[in-house]
């Protein structure tokens, strides 16, 4: 089991935020990416962060976007689409989306707008 599974999302969220803000992106864009992936609304996302929900609990409650299957590529030296553990796969999807946002990819592209399942 990976330590990240039981790590609170609230502990990593500020790191994601700092990463995207360093590159001129906003909290709103970061939250849009997280909402897109998880299906959470603003209130649900805020509750999970305030409650120090673990990544395991966070993704158990999520309604994964069907277009998430279109997220491919390498993050942290790992090819996302080859991750076998379902929870680690979801965490890597989030990492990849945050990475794309931080690299300046347009939000519409990060959110796979115009993609089909």
């Amino acid at each position: 089991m990976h330590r990240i599974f039981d790590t609170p999302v609230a502990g990593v969220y500020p790191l994601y935020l700092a990463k995207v803000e360093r590159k001129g992106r906003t909290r709103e864009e970061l939250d849009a990416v997280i909402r897109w992936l998880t299906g959470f609304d603003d209130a649900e996302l805020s509750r999970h962060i305030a409650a120090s929900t673990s990544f395991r609990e966070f993704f158990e409650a999520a309604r994964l976007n069907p277009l998430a299957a279109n997220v491919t590529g390498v993050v942290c030296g790992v090819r996302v689409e080859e991750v076998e553990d379902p929870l680690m796969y979801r965490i890597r999807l989030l990492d990849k989306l945050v990475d794309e946002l931080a690299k300046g990819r347009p939000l519409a592209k990060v959110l796979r707008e115009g993609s089909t399942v």
Side-chain angles (χ1 to χ4, degrees):
M1 180 164 64
H2 298 277
R3 192 175 68 203
I4 190 69
F5 292 177
D6 296 315
T7 299
V9 174
V12 179
Y13 181 85
L15 303 175
Y16 288 151
L17 183 59
K19 180 177 186 171
V20 300
E21 285 182 339
R22 269 195 311 272
K23 301 296 185 165
R25 303 311 283 264
T26 66
R27 175 185 298 266
E28 290 74 26
E29 289 173 308
L30 173 61
D31 289 354
V33 166
I34 297 171
R35 287 191 315 266
W36 178 87
L37 179 63
T38 62
F40 296 144
D41 61 24
D42 284 328
E44 289 172 304
L45 179 56
S46 295
R47 272 196 306 277
H48 282 292
I49 292 171
S52 292
T53 303
S54 71
F55 272 100
R56 179 186 317 280
E57 297 162 328
F58 185 76
F59 280 111
E60 282 174 357
R63 301 167 300 280
L64 203 65
N65 189 314
L67 295 178
N70 294 339
V71 178
T72 59
V74 176
V75 64
C76 303
V78 176
R79 184 154 286 285
V80 173
E81 60 272 24
E82 294 175 1
V83 175
E84 291 185 17
D85 182 279
L87 179 53
M88 183 58 80
Y89 172 71
R90 291 177 170 145
I91 293 168
R92 290 298 184 198
L93 284 175
L94 179 56
D95 289 343
K96 179 66 177 162
L97 293 170
V98 170
D99 202 44
E100 289 179 1
L101 185 65
K103 288 183 175 174
R105 192 164 193 206
L107 187 58
K109 296 267 189 200
V110 175
L111 302 183
R112 301 329 194 243
E113 291 180 2
S115 296
T116 57
V117 178

